[in-house]
Amino acid sequence: MNQLVEAFDKAKAVVGKPVVILAKTIKGKGVSFMENVAGWHGRTPNRAELDASLKELGLTERIPVDQLLDKAKKLPGADGP
């Protein structure tokens, strides 16, 4: 995360020319049924999958899922789990 923040800060400082940030990542890292599974690229998890992934990542108590989903439903053209 620190490397990403540093890269974004450097990118913001560039004026008048394009910037690219390349990152070597692992799709779905930390979620057993998503990690390195190409079919998850660009796919939205359903609610059960979302809950299971947050549990595996240890984020269940840290992310107010219901509040965020309610907020997302109010956005134009939004659809979600």
Coordinates of all heavy atoms in Angstrom, one line a residue:
M1 N 0.8 -1.2 0.0 CA 0.0 0.0 0.0 C 0.9 1.2 0.0 O 0.6 2.2 -0.7 CB -0.9 -0.1 1.2 CG -2.1 0.8 1.2 SD -3.1 0.4 -0.2 CE -4.0 1.9 -0.4
N2 N 1.9 1.2 0.8 CA 2.8 2.4 0.8 C 3.4 2.6 -0.6 O 3.6 3.8 -0.9 CB 4.0 2.1 1.8 CG 3.5 2.1 3.3 OD1 2.5 2.8 3.6 ND2 4.2 1.5 4.1
Q3 N 3.8 1.6 -1.3 CA 4.3 1.8 -2.6 C 3.3 2.4 -3.6 O 3.6 3.3 -4.4 CB 4.8 0.5 -3.2 CG 6.0 -0.1 -2.5 CD 6.4 -1.5 -3.0 OE1 5.5 -2.3 -3.3 NE2 7.7 -1.7 -3.1
L4 N 2.0 2.0 -3.4 CA 1.0 2.7 -4.2 C 0.8 4.1 -3.9 O 0.7 5.0 -4.8 CB -0.4 1.9 -4.0 CG -0.5 0.6 -4.8 CD1 -1.8 0.0 -4.3 CD2 -0.5 0.8 -6.2
V5 N 0.8 4.5 -2.7 CA 0.6 5.9 -2.3 C 1.8 6.7 -2.8 O 1.6 7.8 -3.3 CB 0.5 6.0 -0.7 CG1 0.5 7.4 -0.3 CG2 -0.8 5.3 -0.3
E6 N 3.0 6.1 -2.7 CA 4.2 6.8 -3.2 C 4.1 7.0 -4.7 O 4.4 8.1 -5.2 CB 5.4 6.0 -2.8 CG 6.7 6.7 -3.2 CD 7.9 5.9 -2.9 OE1 7.9 5.2 -1.8 OE2 8.9 6.0 -3.6
A7 N 3.6 6.0 -5.4 CA 3.5 6.1 -6.9 C 2.5 7.2 -7.2 O 2.7 7.9 -8.2 CB 3.1 4.8 -7.4
F8 N 1.3 7.2 -6.5 CA 0.3 8.2 -6.8 C 0.8 9.6 -6.5 O 0.5 10.5 -7.3 CB -1.0 7.9 -6.0 CG -1.7 6.7 -6.5 CD1 -2.2 5.8 -5.6 CD2 -2.0 6.5 -7.8 CE1 -3.0 4.7 -6.0 CE2 -2.7 5.3 -8.3 CZ -3.2 4.5 -7.3
D9 N 1.5 9.8 -5.5 CA 2.1 11.1 -5.1 C 3.1 11.5 -6.2 O 3.0 12.7 -6.7 CB 2.8 11.1 -3.8 CG 1.9 11.0 -2.6 OD1 0.6 11.3 -2.8 OD2 2.3 10.6 -1.5
K10 N 3.9 10.6 -6.7 CA 4.8 11.0 -7.8 C 4.1 11.3 -9.1 O 4.4 12.3 -9.8 CB 5.8 9.8 -8.0 CG 6.9 9.7 -7.0 CD 7.8 8.5 -7.3 CE 8.9 8.3 -6.3 NZ 9.8 7.2 -6.6
A11 N 3.0 10.6 -9.4 CA 2.3 10.8 -10.6 C 1.6 12.1 -10.5 O 1.5 12.8 -11.5 CB 1.2 9.7 -10.7
K12 N 1.1 12.5 -9.4 CA 0.4 13.8 -9.2 C 1.3 15.0 -9.5 O 0.9 16.1 -9.9 CB -0.2 14.0 -7.8 CG -1.5 13.2 -7.6 CD -2.2 13.6 -6.4 CE -1.9 12.6 -5.3 NZ -2.6 12.9 -4.0
A13 N 2.6 14.8 -9.2 CA 3.6 15.8 -9.4 C 4.0 16.1 -10.9 O 4.6 17.1 -11.2 CB 4.8 15.5 -8.6
V14 N 3.7 15.1 -11.7 CA 4.0 15.2 -13.1 C 3.0 16.1 -13.8 O 1.8 16.0 -13.7 CB 4.0 13.9 -13.8 CG1 4.3 14.0 -15.3 CG2 5.1 13.0 -13.2
V15 N 3.5 17.1 -14.6 CA 2.6 18.1 -15.2 C 2.9 18.1 -16.7 O 4.1 18.1 -17.2 CB 2.8 19.5 -14.7 CG1 2.0 20.5 -15.4 CG2 2.6 19.5 -13.2
G16 N 1.9 18.0 -17.5 CA 2.0 18.2 -19.0 C 2.4 17.0 -19.8 O 2.6 17.1 -21.0
K17 N 2.4 15.8 -19.1 CA 2.6 14.6 -19.9 C 1.9 13.4 -19.2 O 1.7 13.5 -18.0 CB 4.1 14.3 -20.1 CG 4.9 14.2 -18.8 CD 6.4 14.1 -19.1 CE 7.2 14.0 -17.9 NZ 8.6 13.8 -18.1
P18 N 1.7 12.4 -20.0 CA 1.0 11.2 -19.4 C 1.8 10.5 -18.4 O 3.1 10.5 -18.4 CB 0.7 10.3 -20.6 CG 1.1 11.1 -21.8 CD 1.9 12.2 -21.4
V19 N 1.2 9.8 -17.5 CA 1.9 9.0 -16.5 C 1.2 7.6 -16.4 O 0.0 7.5 -16.6 CB 1.7 9.6 -15.1 CG1 2.3 8.8 -14.0 CG2 2.3 11.0 -15.0
V20 N 2.0 6.6 -16.2 CA 1.5 5.2 -16.1 C 2.1 4.6 -14.8 O 3.3 4.9 -14.5 CB 1.8 4.3 -17.3 CG1 3.3 4.2 -17.5 CG2 1.1 3.0 -17.2
I21 N 1.3 3.9 -14.1 CA 1.8 3.2 -12.9 C 1.6 1.7 -13.2 O 0.4 1.2 -13.4 CB 1.0 3.6 -11.6 CG1 1.2 5.0 -11.3 CG2 1.4 2.7 -10.5 CD1 0.4 5.6 -10.2
L22 N 2.7 0.9 -13.2 CA 2.6 -0.5 -13.5 C 2.7 -1.2 -12.1 O 3.6 -0.9 -11.3 CB 3.7 -1.0 -14.4 CG 3.7 -0.4 -15.8 CD1 4.9 -0.8 -16.6 CD2 2.4 -0.7 -16.5
A23 N 1.9 -2.2 -11.9 CA 1.9 -2.9 -10.6 C 1.8 -4.4 -10.9 O 1.0 -4.9 -11.7 CB 0.7 -2.5 -9.8
K24 N 2.7 -5.2 -10.3 CA 2.6 -6.6 -10.3 C 1.7 -7.1 -9.2 O 2.0 -6.9 -8.0 CB 4.0 -7.2 -10.2 CG 4.1 -8.7 -10.4 CD 5.5 -9.2 -10.3 CE 5.5 -10.7 -10.5 NZ 6.8 -11.3 -10.4
T25 N 0.6 -7.6 -9.6 CA -0.4 -8.0 -8.6 C -0.9 -9.4 -8.8 O -0.6 -10.1 -9.8 CB -1.7 -7.1 -8.7 OG1 -2.3 -7.2 -9.9 CG2 -1.3 -5.6 -8.5
I26 N -1.6 -9.9 -7.8 CA -2.2 -11.2 -7.9 C -3.7 -11.0 -7.7 O -4.2 -10.5 -6.7 CB -1.7 -12.1 -6.7 CG1 -0.2 -12.4 -6.9 CG2 -2.5 -13.5 -6.7 CD1 0.4 -13.1 -5.7
K27 N -4.5 -11.4 -8.8 CA -5.9 -11.3 -8.8 C -6.5 -11.9 -7.5 O -6.2 -13.1 -7.3 CB -6.5 -11.9 -10.0 CG -6.3 -11.2 -11.3 CD -7.1 -11.9 -12.4 CE -6.4 -12.0 -13.7 NZ -5.3 -12.8 -13.9
G28 N -7.4 -11.2 -6.8 CA -8.1 -11.8 -5.7 C -7.2 -12.3 -4.5 O -7.7 -13.1 -3.7
K29 N -6.1 -11.7 -4.4 CA -5.1 -12.1 -3.3 C -5.8 -12.2 -2.0 O -6.4 -11.3 -1.5 CB -3.9 -11.1 -3.3 CG -2.9 -11.5 -2.2 CD -2.1 -12.7 -2.6 CE -1.0 -13.0 -1.6 NZ -0.5 -14.3 -1.7
G30 N -5.7 -13.3 -1.3 CA -6.2 -13.5 0.0 C -7.6 -14.1 0.1 O -8.0 -14.4 1.2
V31 N -8.2 -14.3 -1.0 CA -9.6 -14.9 -1.0 C -9.5 -16.2 -1.8 O -9.2 -16.2 -3.0 CB -10.6 -14.0 -1.6 CG1 -12.0 -14.6 -1.6 CG2 -10.6 -12.6 -0.9
S32 N -9.7 -17.3 -1.0 CA -9.4 -18.6 -1.6 C -10.1 -18.9 -2.9 O -9.5 -19.5 -3.8 CB -9.8 -19.7 -0.6 OG -11.2 -19.7 -0.3
F33 N -11.3 -18.5 -3.1 CA -12.1 -18.8 -4.3 C -11.9 -17.8 -5.4 O -12.4 -18.0 -6.5 CB -13.5 -19.1 -4.0 CG -14.2 -17.9 -3.3 CD1 -14.8 -16.9 -4.1 CD2 -14.3 -17.8 -2.0 CE1 -15.5 -15.8 -3.5 CE2 -14.9 -16.7 -1.3 CZ -15.5 -15.7 -2.1
M34 N -11.1 -16.7 -5.1 CA -10.9 -15.7 -6.1 C -9.4 -15.6 -6.6 O -9.1 -15.3 -7.7 CB -11.2 -14.3 -5.6 CG -12.7 -14.1 -5.4 SD -12.9 -12.4 -4.8 CE -14.7 -12.3 -4.6
E35 N -8.5 -16.0 -5.7 CA -7.1 -15.8 -6.0 C -6.6 -16.6 -7.2 O -6.8 -17.8 -7.4 CB -6.2 -16.3 -4.8 CG -4.8 -15.8 -4.9 CD -4.0 -16.0 -3.6 OE1 -4.6 -15.7 -2.5 OE2 -2.9 -16.4 -3.7
N36 N -6.1 -15.8 -8.2 CA -5.5 -16.3 -9.4 C -6.6 -17.0 -10.3 O -6.3 -17.8 -11.1 CB -4.3 -17.2 -9.2 CG -3.1 -16.4 -9.0 OD1 -2.9 -15.4 -9.7 ND2 -2.2 -16.9 -8.1
V37 N -7.9 -16.6 -10.1 CA -8.9 -17.2 -11.0 C -9.4 -16.1 -11.9 O -10.0 -15.1 -11.6 CB -10.1 -17.7 -10.1 CG1 -11.2 -18.2 -11.0 CG2 -9.7 -18.7 -9.1
A38 N -9.0 -16.3 -13.2 CA -9.2 -15.3 -14.2 C -10.7 -14.9 -14.3 O -11.0 -13.7 -14.7 CB -8.7 -15.8 -15.6
G39 N -11.6 -15.8 -14.1 CA -13.0 -15.5 -14.2 C -13.5 -14.4 -13.3 O -14.6 -13.8 -13.5
W40 N -12.7 -14.0 -12.2 CA -13.1 -13.0 -11.3 C -12.7 -11.6 -11.8 O -13.2 -10.6 -11.3 CB -12.5 -13.2 -9.9 CG -13.3 -14.2 -9.2 CD1 -13.1 -15.6 -9.0 CD2 -14.6 -14.0 -8.5 NE1 -14.1 -16.2 -8.3 CE2 -15.0 -15.2 -8.0 CE3 -15.4 -12.9 -8.3 CZ2 -16.2 -15.4 -7.3 CZ3 -16.6 -13.0 -7.6 CH2 -16.9 -14.2 -7.1
H41 N -11.9 -11.5 -12.8 CA -11.5 -10.2 -13.3 C -12.7 -9.5 -13.9 O -13.3 -9.9 -14.9 CB -10.4 -10.4 -14.4 CG -9.8 -9.1 -14.8 ND1 -9.0 -8.4 -14.0 CD2 -10.0 -8.4 -15.9 CE1 -8.6 -7.3 -14.7 NE2 -9.2 -7.3 -15.8
G42 N -13.1 -8.4 -13.3 CA -14.2 -7.6 -13.8 C -15.6 -8.1 -13.4 O -16.6 -7.5 -13.8
R43 N -15.6 -9.1 -12.6 CA -16.9 -9.6 -12.1 C -17.2 -9.1 -10.7 O -16.4 -9.1 -9.9 CB -16.9 -11.2 -12.1 CG -18.2 -11.8 -11.7 CD -18.1 -13.3 -11.8 NE -19.2 -13.9 -11.1 CZ -19.2 -14.4 -9.9 NH1 -18.1 -14.4 -9.2 NH2 -20.3 -14.9 -9.4
T44 N -18.5 -8.8 -10.5 CA -18.9 -8.3 -9.2 C -19.4 -9.5 -8.4 O -20.2 -10.3 -8.8 CB -20.1 -7.3 -9.3 OG1 -19.6 -6.2 -10.1 CG2 -20.5 -6.8 -7.9
P45 N -18.9 -9.7 -7.1 CA -19.4 -10.8 -6.3 C -20.8 -10.6 -5.9 O -21.2 -9.4 -5.7 CB -18.4 -10.8 -5.1 CG -17.9 -9.4 -5.0 CD -17.9 -8.9 -6.4
N46 N -21.6 -11.7 -5.7 CA -22.9 -11.5 -5.1 C -22.7 -11.3 -3.6 O -21.6 -11.3 -3.1 CB -23.8 -12.7 -5.4 CG -23.3 -14.0 -4.8 OD1 -22.7 -14.1 -3.8 ND2 -23.5 -15.1 -5.6
R47 N -23.8 -11.1 -2.9 CA -23.7 -10.8 -1.4 C -23.0 -11.9 -0.6 O -22.2 -11.6 0.2 CB -25.1 -10.5 -0.9 CG -25.1 -10.1 0.6 CD -24.2 -8.9 0.9 NE -23.9 -8.7 2.3 CZ -24.5 -7.8 3.0 NH1 -25.4 -7.0 2.5 NH2 -24.2 -7.6 4.3
A48 N -23.3 -13.2 -0.9 CA -22.7 -14.3 -0.2 C -21.2 -14.3 -0.5 O -20.4 -14.5 0.5 CB -23.4 -15.6 -0.6
E49 N -20.8 -14.1 -1.7 CA -19.4 -14.1 -2.1 C -18.7 -12.9 -1.4 O -17.6 -13.0 -0.9 CB -19.2 -14.1 -3.6 CG -19.7 -15.3 -4.3 CD -20.0 -15.1 -5.7 OE1 -20.2 -14.0 -6.2 OE2 -20.0 -16.2 -6.4
L50 N -19.4 -11.8 -1.4 CA -18.8 -10.6 -0.7 C -18.6 -10.8 0.7 O -17.5 -10.6 1.3 CB -19.7 -9.4 -0.9 CG -19.4 -8.1 -0.1 CD1 -18.0 -7.6 -0.6 CD2 -20.5 -7.1 -0.3
D51 N -19.6 -11.4 1.4 CA -19.4 -11.7 2.8 C -18.3 -12.7 3.1 O -17.5 -12.5 4.0 CB -20.8 -12.2 3.4 CG -21.8 -11.1 3.5 OD1 -21.5 -9.9 3.4 OD2 -23.0 -11.5 3.6
A52 N -18.3 -13.7 2.3 CA -17.2 -14.8 2.5 C -15.8 -14.2 2.2 O -14.9 -14.5 3.0 CB -17.5 -15.9 1.5
S53 N -15.7 -13.3 1.2 CA -14.4 -12.7 0.9 C -13.9 -11.8 2.1 O -12.8 -11.8 2.5 CB -14.4 -12.0 -0.4 OG -15.3 -11.0 -0.4
L54 N -14.8 -11.0 2.6 CA -14.5 -10.1 3.7 C -14.1 -10.9 4.9 O -13.2 -10.5 5.6 CB -15.6 -9.1 4.0 CG -15.9 -8.1 2.9 CD1 -17.1 -7.3 3.2 CD2 -14.7 -7.2 2.7
K55 N -14.8 -12.0 5.1 CA -14.5 -12.8 6.3 C -13.0 -13.4 6.2 O -12.3 -13.4 7.1 CB -15.5 -14.0 6.4 CG -15.3 -14.8 7.6 CD -16.4 -15.9 7.8 CE -16.1 -16.7 9.0 NZ -17.1 -17.7 9.2
E56 N -12.7 -13.9 5.0 CA -11.4 -14.5 4.7 C -10.3 -13.4 4.9 O -9.2 -13.7 5.3 CB -11.3 -15.1 3.3 CG -12.0 -16.4 3.2 CD -11.6 -17.2 2.0 OE1 -10.4 -17.1 1.5 OE2 -12.5 -17.9 1.4
L57 N -10.6 -12.2 4.5 CA -9.6 -11.1 4.6 C -9.6 -10.5 6.0 O -8.8 -9.6 6.3 CB -9.9 -10.0 3.6 CG -9.8 -10.4 2.1 CD1 -10.4 -9.4 1.2 CD2 -8.3 -10.7 1.8
G58 N -10.5 -10.9 6.9 CA -10.5 -10.4 8.3 C -11.1 -9.0 8.3 O -10.7 -8.2 9.2
L59 N -12.0 -8.6 7.4 CA -12.5 -7.3 7.3 C -13.9 -7.1 7.6 O -14.5 -6.1 7.5 CB -12.2 -6.7 5.9 CG -10.8 -6.6 5.5 CD1 -10.6 -6.2 4.0 CD2 -10.0 -5.6 6.4
T60 N -14.6 -8.2 8.1 CA -16.0 -8.2 8.3 C -16.4 -7.1 9.3 O -17.4 -6.4 9.0 CB -16.4 -9.6 8.9 OG1 -16.1 -10.6 8.0 CG2 -17.9 -9.6 9.1
E61 N -15.7 -6.9 10.3 CA -16.0 -5.9 11.3 C -15.6 -4.5 11.0 O -16.0 -3.5 11.6 CB -15.4 -6.3 12.7 CG -15.9 -7.6 13.2 CD -17.4 -7.7 13.4 OE1 -18.0 -6.7 13.9 OE2 -18.0 -8.7 13.1
R62 N -14.7 -4.4 10.0 CA -14.1 -3.1 9.6 C -14.8 -2.3 8.5 O -14.7 -1.1 8.3 CB -12.6 -3.2 9.3 CG -11.8 -3.7 10.5 CD -10.4 -3.8 10.2 NE -9.9 -2.4 9.9 CZ -8.7 -2.2 9.4 NH1 -7.9 -3.2 9.1 NH2 -8.3 -1.0 9.1
I63 N -15.6 -3.1 7.7 CA -16.3 -2.5 6.5 C -17.8 -2.5 6.7 O -18.4 -3.6 6.9 CB -15.8 -3.2 5.2 CG1 -14.3 -3.0 5.1 CG2 -16.6 -2.7 4.1 CD1 -13.8 -3.7 3.8
P64 N -18.4 -1.3 6.7 CA -19.9 -1.3 6.9 C -20.6 -1.6 5.6 O -21.1 -0.7 4.9 CB -20.1 0.2 7.3 CG -19.0 0.9 6.7 CD -17.8 0.0 6.6
V65 N -20.7 -2.9 5.3 CA -21.2 -3.3 4.0 C -22.6 -2.9 3.7 O -22.9 -2.3 2.6 CB -21.1 -4.9 3.9 CG1 -21.7 -5.4 2.6 CG2 -19.7 -5.3 4.0
D66 N -23.5 -3.0 4.7 CA -24.9 -2.6 4.4 C -25.0 -1.1 4.1 O -25.7 -0.7 3.2 CB -25.8 -3.0 5.6 CG -25.9 -4.5 5.7 OD1 -26.0 -5.2 4.7 OD2 -26.0 -5.0 6.9
Q67 N -24.3 -0.3 4.9 CA -24.3 1.1 4.6 C -23.8 1.5 3.2 O -24.3 2.3 2.5 CB -23.5 1.9 5.7 CG -24.1 1.9 7.0 CD -23.2 2.5 8.1 OE1 -22.0 2.4 8.0 NE2 -23.8 3.2 9.1
L68 N -22.7 0.8 2.9 CA -22.1 1.1 1.5 C -23.0 0.6 0.4 O -23.1 1.3 -0.6 CB -20.7 0.4 1.4 CG -19.6 1.0 2.3 CD1 -18.4 0.1 2.3 CD2 -19.3 2.4 2.0
L69 N -23.6 -0.5 0.6 CA -24.5 -1.0 -0.4 C -25.8 -0.1 -0.6 O -26.2 0.1 -1.7 CB -24.9 -2.5 -0.2 CG -23.8 -3.5 -0.3 CD1 -24.3 -4.9 0.1 CD2 -23.3 -3.6 -1.7
D70 N -26.3 0.3 0.6 CA -27.4 1.3 0.5 C -27.0 2.5 -0.2 O -27.8 3.1 -1.0 CB -27.9 1.6 1.9 CG -28.7 0.5 2.6 OD1 -29.1 -0.5 1.9 OD2 -28.8 0.5 3.8
K71 N -25.9 3.0 0.0 CA -25.4 4.3 -0.6 C -25.2 4.0 -2.1 O -25.6 4.8 -3.0 CB -24.1 4.7 0.0 CG -23.6 6.0 -0.5 CD -22.4 6.5 0.3 CE -22.0 7.9 -0.2 NZ -20.9 8.4 0.6
A72 N -24.7 2.8 -2.5 CA -24.4 2.5 -3.9 C -25.7 2.4 -4.7 O -25.8 2.7 -5.8 CB -23.6 1.2 -4.0
K73 N -26.8 1.9 -4.0 CA -28.1 1.7 -4.7 C -28.7 3.0 -5.1 O -29.5 3.1 -6.0 CB -29.1 1.0 -3.7 CG -28.8 -0.5 -3.6 CD -29.7 -1.1 -2.6 CE -29.3 -2.5 -2.2 NZ -30.1 -3.1 -1.1
K74 N -28.3 4.1 -4.5 CA -28.8 5.4 -4.8 C -28.1 6.1 -5.9 O -28.5 7.1 -6.4 CB -28.7 6.3 -3.5 CG -29.6 5.8 -2.4 CD -29.4 6.6 -1.1 CE -30.2 6.0 0.0 NZ -29.9 6.6 1.3
L75 N -27.0 5.5 -6.4 CA -26.2 6.1 -7.5 C -26.9 5.8 -8.8 O -27.5 4.7 -9.0 CB -24.8 5.5 -7.5 CG -24.0 5.8 -6.3 CD1 -22.6 5.1 -6.4 CD2 -23.7 7.3 -6.1
P76 N -26.9 6.8 -9.7 CA -27.5 6.5 -11.1 C -26.9 5.3 -11.8 O -25.7 5.2 -11.8 CB -27.1 7.8 -11.8 CG -26.7 8.8 -10.8 CD -26.2 8.0 -9.6
G77 N -27.8 4.4 -12.2 CA -27.4 3.3 -13.0 C -26.7 2.2 -12.2 O -26.1 1.3 -12.7
A78 N -26.8 2.3 -10.9 CA -26.1 1.3 -10.0 C -26.9 0.0 -9.8 O -28.1 0.0 -9.8 CB -25.9 1.9 -8.6
D79 N -26.2 -1.1 -9.8 CA -26.7 -2.3 -9.4 C -25.6 -3.1 -8.7 O -24.5 -2.9 -9.0 CB -27.2 -3.1 -10.7 CG -26.1 -3.4 -11.6 OD1 -25.1 -2.8 -11.6 OD2 -26.3 -4.3 -12.5
G80 N -26.0 -3.9 -7.7 CA -25.0 -4.5 -6.9 C -25.5 -5.8 -6.4 O -26.5 -6.3 -6.8
P81 N -24.7 -6.4 -5.4 CA -25.1 -7.7 -4.8 C -26.3 -7.6 -4.1 O -26.8 -6.6 -3.6 CB -23.9 -8.0 -3.9 CG -23.0 -6.9 -3.9 CD -23.5 -5.9 -4.8

